[in-house]
Amino acid sequence: MPFGPGGIPRILAGMTDRGVRPFSDPSTPRHWIRPKTARITHVDLSVTIDLDACRVDGVVEHRCEFLEQRAGRVLGLDSHDLVIREVSIDGAPASHSSSGDHLLVAIPDGARGGTVRIAFTADHPAKGMYFIPADPRRSQVAMCWTQGAMEDHSHWFPCFDSPNNLSTWRISVRHRDHLTAVANGVRQPKSAAVDGWSTAIFVQDRPHVVYLVNVAVGEFSEVVDSGGPVPIAHYVPRGREAEAGAMFRATGFAISWLSAFIGVPFPWARYGHVVVHRFMWGGMENASLTTITDRVLMDAADQAREDIDCDSLVIHELVHQWYGDLLTMKGWSDIWLNESFATYLEARGTAAWRAHGDPRREADELALLLWIDRRAYLDEDGGRYRRALVTNRYEDAYELFDRVAYEKGCLVLHQLLRLLGEDRFRAALTLYTTRHAHDLVETADFRQALEDATGEPLDWFFDLWVHRAGHPRLRVRWKHDPARGQLVIELEQSQASGLPASEQPEHTYRLAMDVVWAHGSGDPVRRRVEMSRVREVVMFPCPTAPTWVALDPEGDVPAEWDEDADAPQLAARLEDARLAAPGRARAAV
């Protein structure tokens, strides 16, 4: 899911922020991975959806492998305000009860597996499925659509509403004949209409978690897209078919580019989007069928006139088809494994899409996107709260979908790529993705894949950048010593708490970055700087005074900078096209 638009940047480096509050109160309870008494391997969901009545009648069958072998076992499913009409296991009536928002089903003694069948009704569900009436004044057609994340599908059908389970799916949707139904997976042959009702069936034979289920019924038109390596079809409100081409123009490119970058082919049998009214976010990466808001539905002329498109949104949700859908975090505390990956590869893919094969332009486009991400993260960090990338102390999982999970994690991944080198990082990404395909993951799995692929121990990196909050602030001063023919660079780091690192030495960052300097029209000189202490003084042979000096010229380190230099030096750095865009942009600031 994409976060909202960026905030106002905080551009002053070295600002004190002792008053920034923590993400959660120390008394906030921790959330642990949800236990389960059964592994649900397949779900067969058959529903009748009545748009006029805002009602769902259905039967769901959960094929279970029971994990505990003891008397008195109970299968706990989530069920919010549902009418439960019947419950059986392998055809025999099952003892059951409703307790709060849970349906408790007694498991027969000795049973190692079975199919739990539940007949239910959802009348005007509060969440999970949304009914939208037709409104010609707003160019709005009648439809309903689902949104399961975080744990809302249990408001319209009983299920184990947690990411800690993977199932294959068969979804059967009975609907009025003049409407169109879409869902995850591959559409099966359509049945003949009976009394004005038709049934559409979709089979997803590759497992995914429940929150990625997608069902939509409404006045949709199908627009086939032949531009990708797998079958692609988009569903838009009737009458808006002409806008689909411009809206989803990046889809085929992004599938191919991401497959090549990750080293793993697109993981689903088909792909597409369904465009809906009144969606609460920009998009939702439901497996093989992404939901997209109609607010970005526009034709090519509108895009050109307004200088806006939804290419990055399309690419972001496509990344999730790997990171979020093919691999899903076991618990919400590891949401960065979804959103940081999607944000970073969105930036990489969007830069490649815009560059049209021009490497320099691609580098500049990427630098701009990462610059925007850095500003968004720093604004939240300085103005709202500070938290680590991984935390299980929160009130509601929605709180974790913030600038840390999206933008900071994106910057951390980019720094990791630059630290390891792109070839080694991508080899590790391929290993991580293939090793855990169609499985549940946690942060330790990603770190292990990195270490296995590269041989680099990364405990220190994850400790500083993933499991701790904040970022370094770097104060840089340089001078030229003509007597010794040396460039002398003084570095000092303080932490984002506003305290000097000497007061919190356990938070001193271990940093590696390049330094570049230039003498007029001569070739710029590049050297490597290592920093593992609060203060470092480094010296390099340099016979004549540089025109300008820039540390971390490509913007690899997620840091705030205090770079004191006179105006002519900064102007020379800004104007020198040989320097990467981030180094020039910092000079401008």
Side-chain angles (χ1 to χ4, degrees):
M1 286 171 286
F3 200 66
I8 299 172
R10 183 184 61 176
I11 61 174
L12 295 179
M15 292 174 60
T16 181
D17 54 4
R18 295 172 186 264
V20 173
R21 60 187 179 86
F23 174 67
S24 59
D25 187 271
S27 63
T28 303
R30 295 183 183 273
H31 290 255
W32 304 104
I33 295 171
R34 180 175 171 180
K36 54 189 179 184
T37 56
R39 182 180 297 109
I40 300 172
T41 60
H42 178 77
V43 180
D44 194 318
L45 177 61
S46 298
V47 292
T48 295
I49 297 178
D50 189 331
L51 260 59
D52 296 330
C54 301
R55 177 184 172 103
V56 183
D57 288 290
V59 172
V60 61
E61 296 182 351
H62 298 283
R63 188 183 303 160
C64 299
E65 297 174 357
F66 301 123
L67 302 177
E68 295 185 49
Q69 300 300 315
R70 61 174 176 80
R73 295 173 299 165
V74 173
L75 173 65
L77 298 174
D78 299 285
S79 172
H80 295 264
D81 301 319
L82 300 177
V83 176
I84 304 300
R85 303 194 307 273
E86 177 189 351
V87 180
S88 63
I89 299 180
D90 291 338
S95 177
H96 63 279
S97 64
S98 294
S99 174
D101 295 325
H102 299 284
L103 172 64
L104 306 177
V105 182
I107 301 172
D109 291 347
R112 294 182 176 275
T115 297
V116 179
R117 182 181 187 275
I118 305 164
F120 65 92
T121 296
D123 194 354
H124 291 79
K127 295 181 181 179
M129 180 175 284
Y130 299 84
F131 290 86
I132 310 299
D135 187 347
R137 296 171 303 171
R138 300 182 179 180
S139 300
Q140 186 171 286
V141 302
M143 64 174 64
C144 74
W145 44 266
T146 62
Q147 174 55 38
M150 282 5 120
E151 298 173 356
D152 289 349
H153 278 319
S154 51
H155 289 267
W156 69 277
F157 78 97
C159 57
F160 184 75
D161 211 351
S162 167
N164 190 27
N165 189 84
L166 294 145
S167 309
T168 55
W169 297 81
R170 179 184 181 275
I171 300 175
S172 173
V173 183
R174 183 171 174 264
H175 58 90
R176 295 288 184 182
D177 189 48
H178 69 284
L179 302 175
T180 298
V182 294
N184 315 81
V186 177
R187 183 191 294 271
Q188 305 302 294
K190 187 175 181 180
S191 64
V194 178
D195 297 329
W197 291 81
S198 292
T199 300
I201 299 173
F202 301 83
V203 173
Q204 185 75 289
D205 61 1
R206 304 173 190 183
H208 60 73
V209 299
V210 67
Y211 78 79
L212 297 172
V213 165
N214 193 8
V215 175
V217 175
E219 298 179 29
F220 295 111
S221 294
E222 181 184 62
V223 179
V224 174
D225 183 342
S226 60
V230 297
I232 303 171
H234 313 296
Y235 297 88
V236 299
R238 288 179 189 165
R240 309 291 296 275
E241 297 84 359
E243 295 159 289
M247 182 178 185
F248 299 119
R249 62 188 182 181
T251 304
F253 166 86
I255 292 176
S256 298
W257 187 91
L258 289 166
S259 298
F261 187 92
I262 297 167
V264 177
F266 184 74
W268 310 98
R270 56 169 285 264
Y271 188 61
H273 303 83
V274 56
V275 180
V276 303
H277 305 310
R278 300 191 189 177
F279 196 56
M280 63 279 287
W281 295 309
M284 175 64 206
E285 65 274 12
N286 302 302
S288 76
L289 182 65
T290 286
T291 303
I292 293 282
T293 174
D294 66 349
R295 296 191 300 275
V296 294
L297 185 57
M298 65 186 78
D299 61 22
D302 288 334
Q303 289 184 343
R305 182 173 58 253
E306 302 294 337
D307 190 24
I308 192 171
D309 58 59
C310 63
D311 298 336
S312 59
L313 172 61
V314 167
I315 294 171
H316 181 103
E317 304 304 334
L318 252 168
V319 178
H320 276 309
Q321 299 301 311
W322 284 266
Y323 303 108
D325 297 8
L326 179 63
L327 287 69
T328 308
M329 79 277 128
K330 289 180 184 177
W332 297 110
S333 59
D334 280 312
I335 190 60
W336 85 288
L337 296 175
N338 289 16
E339 298 301 347
S340 300
F341 281 59
T343 305
Y344 182 50
L345 292 184
E346 168 201 333
R348 295 295 304 261
T350 300
W353 165 253
R354 292 176 178 173
H356 303 292
D358 180 344
R360 180 59 188 262
R361 181 178 175 187
E362 183 174 340
D364 286 348
E365 292 283 358
L366 177 61
L368 173 61
L369 293 168
L370 295 178
W371 178 270
I372 293 169
D373 287 340
R374 181 178 289 103
R375 285 165 39 153
Y377 158 65
L378 292 175
D379 181 57
E380 178 177 83
D381 180 85
R384 294 183 63 198
Y385 55 72
R386 178 169 298 127
R387 73 170 181 89
L389 266 174
V390 176
T391 179
N392 65 355
R393 198 185 293 278
Y394 55 87
E395 293 285 353
D396 191 290
Y398 282 93
E399 300 171 12
L400 299 174
F401 289 77
D402 60 4
R403 301 298 190 189
V404 175
Y406 287 74
E407 284 87 355
K408 180 185 178 180
C410 160
L411 300 172
V412 168
L413 287 173
H414 183 66
Q415 182 192 16
L416 186 57
L417 177 143
R418 298 288 289 175
L419 179 70
L420 297 173
E422 180 155 321
D423 290 344
R424 293 206 299 167
F425 178 87
R426 288 174 60 179
L429 197 63
T430 302
L431 176 62
Y432 170 63
T433 310
T434 54
R435 176 181 285 176
H436 299 288
H438 297 294
D439 203 355
L440 302 170
V441 290
E442 51 194 351
T443 295
D445 296 318
F446 178 50
R447 177 185 148 191
Q448 189 65 57
L450 287 162
E451 294 181 347
D452 289 347
T454 67
E456 293 281 354
L458 291 167
D459 49 349
W460 64 272
F461 183 93
F462 276 70
D463 180 61
L464 286 172
W465 293 102
V466 176
H467 298 295
R468 295 185 185 180
H471 54 272
R473 287 177 172 161
L474 299 176
R475 182 178 184 272
V476 182
R477 300 292 183 268
W478 67 267
K479 63 183 179 180
H480 182 255
D481 184 342
R484 292 181 173 85
Q486 290 180 331
L487 173 65
V488 182
I489 302 174
E490 298 178 358
L491 294 168
E492 182 176 359
Q493 61 171 291
S494 61
Q495 313 319 316
S497 64
L499 297 174
S502 57
E503 295 182 32
Q504 45 176 2
E506 73 280 5
H507 287 283
T508 301
Y509 282 84
R510 174 177 164 185
L511 304 171
M513 67 195 90
D514 285 351
V515 57
V516 179
W517 66 87
H519 304 272
S521 60
D523 291 338
V525 179
R526 181 180 292 259
R527 295 291 184 266
R528 194 70 168 165
V529 173
E530 305 280 345
M531 186 177 192
S532 58
R533 297 180 296 180
V534 174
R535 297 178 184 85
E536 299 275 6
V537 178
V538 293
M539 293 169 283
F540 299 102
C542 183
T544 59
T547 309
W548 53 259
V549 176
L551 268 82
D552 189 30
E554 282 76 32
D556 298 336
V557 179
E560 291 180 87
W561 292 86
D562 175 1
E563 303 177 276
D564 186 34
D566 60 35
Q569 293 172 11
L570 291 173
R573 182 169 135 192
L574 171 62
E575 294 169 359
D576 197 328
R578 298 170 299 176
L579 181 62
R584 298 170 68 193
R586 290 210 316 266
V589 172

